[in-house]
Amino acid sequence: MRETASKRLANDLREADLVARAAWLHFVGGLTQGEVARRLDVPNTRAHRYIARAQAEGLVRIFVDVSTSDCVAIETRLMERFGLSFCRIALDVPETGALPLRALGMAGGDYLMQVIAGEQHQVIGIGHGRTIAAAVDAMGRVPARDVSFVSMLGGLTRSFAANPYDVIHRLARNTGADSFMLPAPMFADSARDKQVMMSQSGIAATMALIGEATLAIVGIGEVDATADTSHNLAIEDAAAIDALRKRGARAEILGQFIGADGEIVATDNDGHVMAPPLENLRQCEVVAIAGGAGKNEAIEAALESGLLNGLITDEATARAIVGDGGRAVAAE
């Protein structure tokens, strides 16, 4: 039995070594997949699989210097207009969905790795949404020794497009850091039920840890039942979303709502949501990862609230918010 386990471990180590060598030869050495296959003495299909696995496991990181792009000027305009200390625009790439997940994921993943490397935050709160999930997937594996991640909202009974529990689990896998989930539904059945759950030791301890976060990374939901991205909202019922919109709600963060003027819109759900009040976010640094067609109104509302210190968005969304529909022509 021990011999079998030893052989399996040896095979796994050899496989991991081949994956790393294939990636190095292809991305650094410039060899084609066929040349990699000949170099490693494996079939072409296996070389392709090794290279794909290296990318999926975060062994490959690609850097593109865009410091000369006119996006820098738009970042500056957004920072000055909304009092941001940080803004990053992901350059547009061809994508098929309503959300530019590839672009936002790469920019968000790079930001996460920079935050971890900077070692300035011991506790980081994580919100929900497909953009955050994409950022976690794109960041690859990076050790995080002195940081803890904590999910800032419940989600046990809701089928998110990107479940908070999946996201926090992937963060733990990618970093090896302590990562904590809020063991609760997104909404309690009543305000009284919320108070009962909040008194439970596990939930109370997690909420206390959320309060210690010095950085919160959140998504921004669009309040529009007809939009392709509406399933990212904490509330799925179309009638409820329409009612919220009639009351002026334009953006959702952590299951709570913000109007076009940046004011927090009080709702009956506030007493039920298993998440810290939005006003509590003013006690820490808050960076949102959000973008895509139709999200302009929601992102601008969130920016108007003054809750955000930083924004990671896509190029088209950034241009729409600053009123720049044109695109600079690169010098030949």
Side-chain angles (χ1 to χ4, degrees):
M1 188 75 175
R2 289 181 181 176
E3 184 179 355
T4 302
S6 297
K7 286 183 178 179
R8 190 183 308 116
L9 176 60
N11 288 336
D12 289 345
L13 290 173
R14 181 176 182 277
E15 188 85 353
D17 179 69
L18 287 170
V19 168
R21 289 179 183 276
W24 182 267
L25 291 170
H26 182 63
F27 291 102
V28 180
L31 275 63
T32 66
Q33 290 185 7
E35 291 169 334
V36 170
R38 288 191 292 274
R39 185 75 169 264
L40 298 180
D41 193 24
V42 297
N44 283 2
T45 53
R46 186 172 298 178
H48 173 78
R49 189 170 71 246
Y50 286 158
I51 293 169
R53 176 177 161 184
Q55 291 179 289
E57 294 184 357
L59 299 181
V60 180
R61 293 176 60 193
I62 299 172
F63 297 91
V64 180
D65 185 359
V66 294
S67 59
T68 59
S69 169
D70 65 333
C71 283
V72 174
I74 300 176
E75 290 171 352
T76 301
R77 289 166 65 184
L78 284 168
M79 291 170 67
E80 291 175 348
R81 176 176 167 185
F82 296 106
L84 303 176
S85 58
F86 165 82
C87 183
R88 181 172 301 169
I89 296 175
L91 299 181
D92 288 340
V93 295
E95 303 201 42
T96 56
L99 294 176
L101 292 179
R102 249 182 103 191
L104 291 175
M106 290 300 296
D110 185 60
Y111 170 72
L112 277 168
M113 288 188 288
Q114 288 182 12
V115 165
I116 292 169
E119 298 182 343
Q120 294 182 350
H121 301 280
Q122 292 184 325
V123 180
I124 299 175
I126 302 295
H128 73 92
R130 286 191 290 170
T131 52
I132 293 179
V136 171
D137 286 342
M139 69 183 286
R141 297 184 184 244
V142 52
R145 299 179 182 84
D146 300 317
V147 64
S148 295
F149 296 99
V150 58
S151 181
M152 299 186 72
L153 74 173
L156 281 174
T157 59
R158 187 190 188 283
S159 58
F160 280 104
N163 190 289
Y165 293 98
D166 293 337
V167 173
I168 209 74
H169 172 74
R170 280 178 268 177
L171 261 176
R173 180 198 64 193
N174 289 348
T175 65
D178 291 332
S179 300
F180 300 88
M181 300 178 291
L182 186 59
M186 164 54 87
F187 293 103
D189 289 339
S190 67
R192 182 176 180 179
D193 286 343
K194 175 180 177 177
Q195 292 305 313
V196 171
M197 284 189 281
M198 292 284 279
S199 67
Q200 301 299 311
S201 58
I203 294 176
T206 305
M207 291 298 292
L209 186 63
I210 291 172
E212 295 177 18
T214 54
L215 171 64
I217 301 174
V218 301
I220 300 173
E222 177 187 4
V223 186
D224 185 349
T226 64
D228 290 339
T229 54
S230 64
H231 59 277
N232 282 321
L233 278 174
I235 297 174
E236 291 182 318
D237 181 73
I241 295 173
D242 285 339
L244 283 166
R245 187 166 181 86
K246 288 177 182 177
R247 292 190 56 193
R250 293 296 180 267
E252 178 258 327
I253 296 177
L254 299 182
Q256 296 154 81
F257 298 89
I258 300 169
D261 57 0
E263 294 295 319
I264 294 173
V265 178
T267 73
D268 293 339
N269 294 310
D270 295 344
H272 303 190
V273 65
M274 298 300 293
L278 288 184
E279 284 293 341
N280 287 16
L281 294 180
R282 300 191 191 277
Q283 302 171 14
C284 67
E285 182 180 349
V286 182
V287 173
I289 306 176
K295 279 283 187 84
N296 306 345
E297 186 180 49
I299 294 171
E300 191 163 357
L303 288 167
E304 290 285 2
S305 73
L307 291 170
L308 304 185
N309 303 99
L311 173 68
I312 298 172
T313 191
D314 62 289
E315 185 179 355
T317 299
R319 289 182 183 278
I321 291 174
V322 300
D324 182 7
R327 186 183 299 272
V329 179
E332 294 293 337

